[in-house]
Amino acid sequence: MTIDPARRYPGSSTPDSIGADVPSLPVGTVLSLIGGLALIAAFWMPWLGIQVGNQGALLSGDVLGRILGGTSDLRQFMPGSSGDPMEAQALRALVFLFPSAGALAVLLALVEGWLGRGRVVAILLIVVGLVPLIGLLIGLTRLPPNASREIGLWLNGVGSVAVVLGPLLNGLLARRRRLSPR
């Protein structure tokens, strides 16, 4: 199925015959795609550095997911925890939220790139980026006091922001093209 470029990217000129066969994506869509891939990749990167006795340990999202799935009492890992099994399940869900949101963002960015810009897909991308960003901000308040924030947490934040900024950038560029004189 081929979509007319003028319909796919309103406000832009028809592609030249030189680049007509080269597939392309809007800049904001690529930004959302990279942000979603960053959220997925961050799952296997270190999120936290903690001290256990005299030894230090780096915990990735994958390791945290396994630890939280195998324990119902968080007090051994988080001294300020209530020890409620529901708290462990909620934190595990938060850990798996990031790669899940990343996978959904990648799919939505690819749909947006294939079908062209659509307001519904753009709004969905913004929501999919905001959910892990809010989860990260809330989760940072629940970290153990002696935990250090590692690259994986930062990449989760940067990836979420990139997913949100992608559709906004596409909207700004489309508006700019419509307003500029030809």
Side-chain angles (χ1 to χ4, degrees):
M1 177 174 147
T2 305
I3 298 175
D4 177 32
R7 190 172 140 235
R8 186 174 189 182
Y9 305 110
S12 66
S13 61
T14 307
D16 297 329
S17 60
I18 297 171
D21 295 334
V22 178
S24 64
L25 293 173
V27 174
T29 303
V30 172
L31 184 62
S32 290
L33 183 63
I34 291 170
L37 292 171
L39 284 168
I40 295 170
F43 184 69
W44 289 278
M45 294 181 182
W47 286 15
L48 303 172
I50 60 169
Q51 288 292 111
V52 181
N54 291 335
Q55 303 246 339
L58 290 175
L59 303 175
S60 67
D62 182 40
V63 171
L64 283 168
R66 285 192 237 156
I67 288 172
L68 293 169
T71 185
S72 59
D73 188 3
L74 287 178
R75 286 180 286 196
Q76 58 188 343
F77 304 109
M78 295 173 60
S81 172
S82 66
D84 182 21
M86 292 301 291
E87 185 179 17
Q89 289 177 355
L91 285 174
R92 187 168 190 235
L94 181 63
V95 166
F96 287 112
L97 170 75
F98 296 102
S100 301
L104 187 56
V106 166
L107 289 173
L108 286 170
L110 290 174
V111 165
E112 182 184 41
W114 185 62
L115 295 178
R117 288 192 319 251
R119 193 171 297 258
V120 173
V121 177
I123 291 170
L124 286 174
L125 264 170
I126 291 171
V127 169
V128 165
L130 282 175
V131 168
L133 186 60
I134 292 168
L136 178 65
L137 294 175
I138 292 170
L140 287 175
T141 65
R142 303 286 301 157
L143 291 179
N146 63 344
S148 64
R149 293 165 181 89
E150 299 294 331
I151 187 86
L153 283 181
W154 295 110
L155 190 57
N156 278 325
V158 169
S160 298
V161 169
V163 170
V164 170
L165 289 179
L168 298 176
L169 181 61
N170 280 344
L172 287 173
L173 292 175
R175 180 178 298 151
R176 183 175 171 201
R177 274 187 235 121
R178 282 191 303 263
L179 295 177
S180 67
R182 300 204 182 221

